Amino acid sequence: MLKILVIEDDELIRETLLQLLESQNYRVIVAQNGRVGVQMALSEIPDLILCDVQMPELDGYEVLRTLRQNSLAATIPFIFLTAQAAKADFRRGMDLGGDDYLTKPFTKAELLGAISSRVSKRQTITHPLTVALQQAEARLTDLVNDSTIISALSPEKLALEALLRRALAQGEFQVYYQPQVDIATGQIIGAEALVRWQNPDRGIISPGEFIPLAEETGLIIPIGEWVLLSACAQAASWLEAGFSPFRVSVNLSARQLSDPQLKARIVQILETTGLEPSNLELEMTESALVENAAVAGATLNELKALGIRIAVDDFGTGYATLGYLKQFAFDSLKIDRIFVRNANDDSQNAAITTAVILLGHSLNMTVIAEGVETEAELNFLRQHQCDIMQGYLFSPPEPATTFERLLVADKHLCEAPLGIVSTGAIPFMPLAEREKSKNLSMSSLGIV
């Protein structure tokens, strides 16, 4: 079903277009101004955009200019809707890359005709690409069936890579969001953005299966950029709707950290989506940092200078020494789920989790516990003043529409049981030096 984005600030016109297009079996999404329109275009990637010219915040020309500068939205057919009939206005829109220009008032036939024309033209342009893809897949099949080179080419990996490239071209990826919850207040204060691949034949393909291949082939660069773009656009939309405080966390891979264009890409995405740098947190694993220590150090310092928060993920499972925590000056430290699991009963996990919380707080970091699945684990984290939790106890990763229902319902963690007293610390911003136990030192925990 063709997906059309309508960007129109006049509510009556917007609703009229919505009803008309839905009656023609189009899937329609709407935005009430230019800024929201850009965010929706980048998160939804529609098949066609109908856009008013005179709008608050961003006019139609600026919307088009912004989208044409982004690789993911640059080719979306764009039709202006306007009451301005001057030739200069028409020429300005065409010079920016507009595909058509409808002057209000226009008839139903004129609108549907313009849409049909643009869709047909795009199909004509993309058909050779589709044929080329089919030919490449046919060639891949021939190679896989050639018994003399099967072992060298790793047919399974080649087949998955072909599927992966097609998934990028056909938009099979989705971004899911897992809530991050302030343990002290019980409020959702952010989310981790996680990529999911919905293959039409194989169903959901595990990230553990395709992410390593994406890293190996370099496809993680465009995939990662798309995830970051989608997550920033979605977070900006939620903040504009009044859900605050809210910060979105996005994972960076080792390959992305080595990309010399990483900072420029992130700056462009923030400018395009309108998301403030302070509402974005970038996560990376210890192993990714060690693999790219020299490059990563300079890049992360530049990103922090912009106001973006930096988190070290899966702490304790990689290869980093404590020196890296000082070298990179992280804002957040995430405790891996293997240490959180049964921390209330497992003495070793309890010791490690407690030590990591103390370490994070002593370095002025927010501490986030991953994989929290039971009330007992949550109570343990609450007792030891962990700041933020995420895990299936509160919610699994969900599509944006489902996650938004959690925000609308203002879902909270359950109250702390009697006998457990919260510190009342505000965890989501960088933490001030907090009170520490007088009788417990870092050295007594074996951390030097």
Side-chain angles (χ1 to χ4, degrees):
M1 181 181 295
L2 195 74
K3 178 165 56 175
I4 298 178
L5 170 61
V6 174
I7 309 174
E8 169 64 65
D9 64 321
D10 187 298
E11 184 176 2
L12 179 60
I13 296 176
R14 192 167 63 242
E15 290 302 315
T16 300
L17 289 171
L18 175 64
Q19 294 176 16
L20 189 157
L21 294 172
E22 286 184 338
S23 71
Q24 301 298 310
N25 295 320
Y26 293 124
R27 179 187 169 196
V28 185
I29 51 179
V30 296
Q32 67 271 29
N33 61 51
R35 174 69 68 185
V36 175
V38 168
Q39 294 168 357
M40 295 190 70
L42 295 175
S43 61
E44 295 282 346
I45 312 296
D47 299 295
L48 182 139
I49 297 173
L50 300 174
C51 185
D52 188 21
V53 172
Q54 297 297 325
M55 293 184 295
E57 298 196 44
L58 286 181
D59 64 21
Y61 299 125
E62 286 304 310
V63 170
L64 179 58
R65 188 197 311 276
T66 300
L67 296 180
R68 288 295 184 256
Q69 291 174 350
N70 187 281
S71 59
L72 296 175
T75 61
I76 299 174
F78 195 100
I79 300 177
F80 284 107
L81 307 176
T82 180
Q84 298 176 337
K87 183 177 180 180
D89 296 322
F90 175 85
R91 188 69 264 155
R92 182 183 177 189
M94 295 301 102
D95 289 343
L96 288 171
D99 295 282
D100 210 338
Y101 205 94
L102 288 177
T103 303
K104 302 173 184 177
F106 46 81
T107 67
K108 174 181 176 180
E110 288 173 335
L111 175 64
L112 297 179
I115 292 173
S116 177
S117 175
R118 292 303 106 197
V119 172
S120 297
K121 183 176 180 180
R122 190 181 196 193
Q123 290 174 342
T124 300
I125 293 172
T126 58
H127 179 68
L129 299 177
T130 303
V131 172
L133 179 62
Q134 292 171 343
Q135 292 173 342
E137 289 177 336
R139 174 57 179 157
L140 176 63
T141 300
D142 291 342
L143 290 173
V144 169
N145 290 333
D146 188 341
S147 60
T148 63
I149 58 174
I150 273 185
S151 57
L153 288 178
S154 180
E156 295 81 5
K157 185 177 290 187
L158 281 171
L160 185 61
E161 181 181 347
L163 289 176
L164 195 58
R165 293 183 184 279
R166 185 172 66 181
L168 262 175
Q170 298 186 355
E172 294 175 8
F173 293 109
Q174 301 176 42
V175 179
Y176 277 45
Y177 299 88
Q178 184 166 40
Q180 295 183 333
V181 184
D182 181 332
I183 294 177
T185 67
Q187 180 186 7
I188 298 173
I189 40 87
E192 181 178 357
L194 300 161
V195 65
R196 295 291 184 265
W197 179 7
Q198 178 69 55
N199 179 268
D201 299 318
R202 296 179 54 180
I204 293 289
I205 298 179
S206 166
E209 184 176 356
F210 72 84
I211 291 297
L213 180 61
E215 281 269 355
E216 182 181 336
T217 60
L219 290 173
I220 195 66
I221 299 294
I223 293 174
E225 181 179 356
W226 177 82
V227 172
L228 183 62
L229 178 62
S230 299
C232 288
Q234 185 63 75
S237 176
W238 283 330
L239 282 162
E240 187 164 341
F243 300 113
S244 180
F246 191 89
R247 181 178 288 118
V248 67
S249 297
V250 182
N251 292 279
L252 287 183
S253 70
R255 191 71 172 258
Q256 287 174 284
L257 280 172
S258 300
D259 180 9
Q261 299 300 315
L262 177 64
K263 178 188 173 183
R265 294 175 194 273
I266 292 174
V267 169
Q268 181 185 20
I269 286 172
L270 290 174
E271 291 177 348
T272 298
T273 61
L275 185 69
E276 292 295 328
S278 58
N279 294 117
L280 173 63
E281 184 165 73
L282 299 174
E283 298 183 11
M284 54 222 65
T285 62
E286 295 176 66
S287 55
L289 288 169
V290 173
E291 184 178 332
N292 303 270
V295 176
T299 300
L300 295 184
N301 287 334
E302 290 177 350
L303 293 173
K304 279 182 63 67
L306 296 174
I308 297 170
R309 288 173 60 89
I310 308 296
V312 58
D313 193 16
D314 300 340
F315 183 74
T317 63
Y319 315 103
T321 66
L322 296 182
Y324 280 102
L325 296 182
K326 181 178 179 180
Q327 176 182 342
F328 294 114
F330 295 105
D331 299 288
S332 299
L333 190 157
K334 302 192 74 175
I335 309 175
D336 189 81
R337 69 187 65 192
I338 66 172
F339 303 129
V340 173
R341 186 180 301 125
N342 297 324
N344 52 296
D345 289 328
D346 186 311
S347 60
Q348 290 185 331
N349 280 0
I352 293 172
T353 299
T354 303
V356 172
I357 293 172
L358 286 171
L359 173 64
H361 289 167
S362 70
L363 294 175
N364 202 31
M365 295 182 194
T366 300
V367 180
I368 305 170
E370 297 183 287
V372 182
E373 297 184 355
T374 69
E375 289 286 351
E377 292 169 354
L378 174 61
N379 292 338
F380 177 88
L381 295 168
R382 186 181 277 125
Q383 286 177 319
H384 291 85
Q385 304 177 18
C386 185
D387 303 308
I388 296 171
M389 65 79 71
Q390 68 181 86
Y392 277 59
L393 175 64
F394 188 84
S395 172
E398 299 283 10
T401 52
T402 305
F403 182 90
E404 187 168 306
R405 287 198 285 270
L406 300 178
L407 295 176
V408 172
D410 195 22
K411 180 178 178 180
H412 276 58
L413 275 175
C414 61
E415 295 290 334
L418 293 176
I420 296 177
V421 180
S422 169
T423 63
I426 300 174
F428 203 60
M429 299 301 292
L431 297 173
E433 183 73 18
R434 57 173 64 195
E435 182 179 358
K436 295 186 263 303
S437 170
K438 296 180 181 179
N439 300 316
L440 184 61
S441 67
M442 297 304 293
S443 60
S444 70
L445 290 168
I447 297 176
V448 294

